[in-house]
């Protein structure tokens, strides 16, 4: 089965499109500028559209969700307790063309469907950058993708250049903190 390609136009600076109604009002209120003439109107429309920074992105149908699950010692209990619930919620909200990939990480990272359930490097550290690098390396560039990081928020190393790679790739990164919250719940 061949994946359907979907071309989508997005605007990098859509706020410039607010000029179109303003230009229409200006053309109506100031007829001596002759903005109603086709060449002038087309030139202004082209200028406004160029300022809006249009981009066409051709992607396959569906979304790839890369779920990075922290299996370090500091998060193992919370991940075991909350993981099945999160996985069932994600499975229920998945559409037909969507894919969910799970990457377990601590010291090392491995895809759950391709690796040993025991992480080879041990569980005494949280190296989030390794998991992000693995996910970015395995993401196909012709499909829309999103990263979901399930962690307790305590990493043992800085992300370094990995954060720049995620930004450069344009992949949204969401996170959910696992574990019991220490904050008191208030009702307003």
């Amino acid at each position: 089965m061949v994946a359907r390609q979907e071309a989508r136009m997005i605007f990098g600076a859509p706020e410039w499109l607010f000029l179109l109604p303003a230009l229409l009002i200006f053309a109506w209120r100031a007829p001596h500028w002759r903005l109603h003439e086709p060449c002038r109107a087309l030139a202004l429309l082209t200028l406004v559209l160029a300022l809006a920074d249009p981009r066409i992105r051709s992607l396959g149908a569906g979304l790839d969700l890369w779920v990075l699950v922290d299996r370090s010692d500091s998060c193992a209990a919370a991940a075991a307790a909350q993981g099945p619930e999160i996985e069932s919620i994600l499975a229920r909200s998945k559409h037909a063309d969507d894919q969910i990939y799970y990457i377990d990480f601590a010291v090392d990272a491995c895809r759950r469907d391709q690796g040993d359930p025991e992480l080879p490097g041990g569980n005494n550290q949280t190296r989030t950058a390794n998991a992000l690098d693995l996910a970015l390396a395995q993401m196909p560039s012709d499909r829309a993708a999103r990263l979901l990081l399930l962690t307790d928020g305590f990493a043992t190393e800085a992300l370094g250049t990995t954060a720049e790679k995620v930004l450069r790739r344009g992949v949204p990164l969401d996170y959910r903190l696992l574990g019991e919250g220490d904050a008191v719940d208030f009702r307003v």
Side-chain angles (χ1 to χ4, degrees):
M1 185 166 127
V2 177
R4 181 178 99 242
Q5 291 290 319
E6 182 179 306
R8 221 176 94 197
M9 179 180 283
I10 58 173
F11 293 101
E15 60 271 8
W16 286 102
L17 296 176
F18 287 120
L19 277 179
L20 291 176
L23 286 173
L24 284 173
I25 292 171
F26 184 73
W28 174 58
R29 300 288 282 160
H32 60 280
W33 284 81
R34 298 189 322 223
L35 297 179
H36 61 279
E37 292 181 5
C39 287
R40 290 182 185 204
L42 187 61
L44 282 174
L45 180 64
T46 304
L47 175 67
V48 170
L49 287 177
L51 288 171
D53 192 20
R55 301 174 190 163
I56 296 178
R57 188 169 181 192
S58 178
L59 298 174
L63 173 74
D64 289 344
L65 178 64
W66 293 80
V67 183
L68 312 175
V69 183
D70 186 353
R71 298 287 181 187
S72 65
D73 291 336
S74 65
C75 193
Q82 297 174 359
E85 178 187 3
I86 293 170
E87 289 177 22
S88 68
I89 290 170
L90 292 174
R92 283 194 313 260
S93 62
K94 180 175 143 331
H95 296 289
D97 294 331
D98 296 344
Q99 295 290 327
I100 300 176
Y101 301 98
Y102 291 94
I103 294 179
D104 295 322
F105 72 97
V107 173
D108 291 324
C110 70
R111 273 185 51 182
R112 194 176 289 176
D113 60 341
Q114 294 179 348
D116 188 5
E118 292 296 320
L119 295 172
N123 296 344
N124 59 347
Q125 294 181 3
T126 303
R127 292 189 175 169
T128 308
N130 287 352
L132 288 169
D133 284 336
L134 177 66
L136 290 173
Q138 294 189 3
M139 274 182 199
S141 60
D142 62 340
R143 284 183 53 92
R146 189 171 200 100
L147 294 162
L148 174 61
L149 180 62
L150 304 176
T151 182
D152 60 357
F154 300 107
T156 54
E157 67 178 9
L159 290 180
T161 60
T162 305
E164 294 173 22
K165 290 178 191 175
V166 172
L167 288 172
R168 210 173 318 119
R169 184 81 181 260
V171 179
L173 172 62
D174 302 310
Y175 68 93
R176 175 165 161 80
L177 295 177
L178 299 176
E180 296 296 322
D182 293 336
V184 178
D185 189 14
F186 292 102
R187 177 182 275 182
V188 178

